[in-house]
């Protein structure tokens, strides 16, 4: 049995999930990767084992299957020290405006599922008296914009959930981190027009998550530029804001 700390990455097959797993493995953590397609996680697991000599477990997890959350958590070989939720669905705003099923998928993938699974682990951590919860939210949740308000509203809800959970859990020895990456060059954003100075690579996000956990940071804007940008956007009067085309 290993005495190393362990981290569970929900959404382990995403670009940011892979980056986070690598950052923690490099730092000596054992890693559990969870995703809908376990077979797709195998190459990453093999690479982490060979490269960093850590233990890597694979687990099937679907953020929309909330009824299975209890059994998923109970089937883990051990309760990890850290749980990171990187699951999410950007979706297509225009489709979500008229397709209720698509809007539901975006809302459930970015808020309901992540909030419920992290809340479940938070309760287990509170019983133990230690642990770290990490939720990857988005700057899109800082203020609703015409171009992505379905996604943004779900992320806003997720950020608010993490904020409240952090305030409560801190009294029981559990730390909660909210990560807001901004634009990240990944498969999910492929084809989108990204703003160069505000865009980071997935490994930058993975490293930022590791630092936040080890430094017990509460809220992380991966690029500090986004903190200023969103401060400006949040303070714009509504009459001005609703005329902006973004």
């Amino acid at each position: 049995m290993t005495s190393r700390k362990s981290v569970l990455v929900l959404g382990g097959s995403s670009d940011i999930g892979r980056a986070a797993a690598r950052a923690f493995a490099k730092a000596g953590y054992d890693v559990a990767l969870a995703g809908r397609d376990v077979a797709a996680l195998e190459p990453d697991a093999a690479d982490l084992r060979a490269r960093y000599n850590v233990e890597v477990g694979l687990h099937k997890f679907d953020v929309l299957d909330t009824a299975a959350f209890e059994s998923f958590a109970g089937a883990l070989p051990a309760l990890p020290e850290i749980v990171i939720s990187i699951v999410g669905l950007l979706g297509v705003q225009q489709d979500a405006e008229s397709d209720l099923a698509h809007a539901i998928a975006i809302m459930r993938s970015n808020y309901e599922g992540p909030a419920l699974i992290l809340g479940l682990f938070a309760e287990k951590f509170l019983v133990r008296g230690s642990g770290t919860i990490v939720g990857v939210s988005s700057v899109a949740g800082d203020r609703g914009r015409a171009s992505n308000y379905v996604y943004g509203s779900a992320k806003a809800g997720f950020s608010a959930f993490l904020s409240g959970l952090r305030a409560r859990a801190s009294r029981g020895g559990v730390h909660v981190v909210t990560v807001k990456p901004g634009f990240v060059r990944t498969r999910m954003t492929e084809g989108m027009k990204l703003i160069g100075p505000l865009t980071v690579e997935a490994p930058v996000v993975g490293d930022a998550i590791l630092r936040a956990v080890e430094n017990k940071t509460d809220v992380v804007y991966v690029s500090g530029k986004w903190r200023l940008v969103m401060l400006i956007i949040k303070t714009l009067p509504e009459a001005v804001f609703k005329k902006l085309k973004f």
Side-chain angles (χ1 to χ4, degrees):
M1 291 290 291
T2 179
S3 61
R4 289 187 295 260
K5 289 186 177 181
S6 60
V7 57
L8 169 62
V9 182
L10 304 172
S13 62
S14 67
D15 290 332
I16 295 177
R18 287 188 169 101
R22 177 166 289 197
F24 278 85
K26 186 177 181 180
Y29 289 77
D30 287 331
V31 178
L33 298 174
R36 287 177 297 179
D37 186 354
V38 174
L41 298 170
E42 286 284 3
D44 296 297
D47 179 71
L48 293 175
R49 294 186 191 108
R51 191 183 299 268
Y52 302 113
N53 192 31
V54 296
E55 293 186 8
V56 183
L58 300 179
H59 307 277
K60 185 174 180 59
F61 175 75
D62 183 349
V63 76
L64 297 181
D65 188 8
T66 56
F69 284 3
E70 285 281 3
S71 59
F72 165 77
L76 295 174
L79 187 63
E81 279 73 34
I82 305 156
V83 176
I84 306 171
S85 175
I86 308 177
V87 294
L89 173 66
L90 182 60
V92 179
Q93 170 65 33
Q94 290 81 2
D95 292 347
E97 291 164 9
S98 56
D99 183 344
L100 288 181
H102 189 55
I104 289 168
I106 294 172
M107 292 177 176
R108 293 191 64 209
S109 298
N110 292 293
Y111 174 56
E112 182 190 72
L116 290 176
I117 190 64
L118 290 186
L120 186 154
F121 276 106
E123 295 310 303
K124 295 180 181 297
F125 286 0
L126 285 167
V127 170
R128 184 177 61 191
S130 67
T132 301
I133 298 288
V134 181
V136 176
S137 188
S138 173
V139 298
D142 285 8
R143 189 169 188 180
R145 298 186 292 120
S147 61
N148 70 347
Y149 61 82
V150 175
Y151 171 82
S153 66
K155 288 297 190 181
F158 188 40
S159 292
F161 175 87
L162 292 170
S163 177
L165 180 62
R166 175 165 46 250
R168 171 173 170 256
S170 64
R171 303 161 193 165
V174 176
H175 182 220
V176 178
V177 184
T178 304
V179 180
K180 300 182 179 184
F183 296 138
V184 185
R185 196 168 282 108
T186 64
R187 287 168 294 171
M188 189 172 78
T189 59
E190 190 173 354
M192 292 177 58
K193 292 182 179 179
L194 304 178
I195 302 173
L198 295 176
T199 303
V200 298
E201 304 293 334
V204 174
V205 183
D207 290 341
I209 293 172
L210 174 64
R211 285 195 305 272
V213 169
E214 296 192 333
N215 296 333
K216 294 191 177 299
T217 310
D218 293 328
V219 180
V220 178
Y221 285 85
V222 174
S223 170
K225 297 171 185 174
W226 274 110
R227 188 181 294 276
L228 176 60
V229 169
M230 296 315 299
L231 176 63
I232 294 170
I233 288 177
K234 286 189 291 186
T235 55
L236 289 174
E238 198 69 20
V240 174
F241 185 74
K242 66 183 181 182
K243 294 179 181 179
L244 300 178
K245 297 180 179 180
F246 69 95

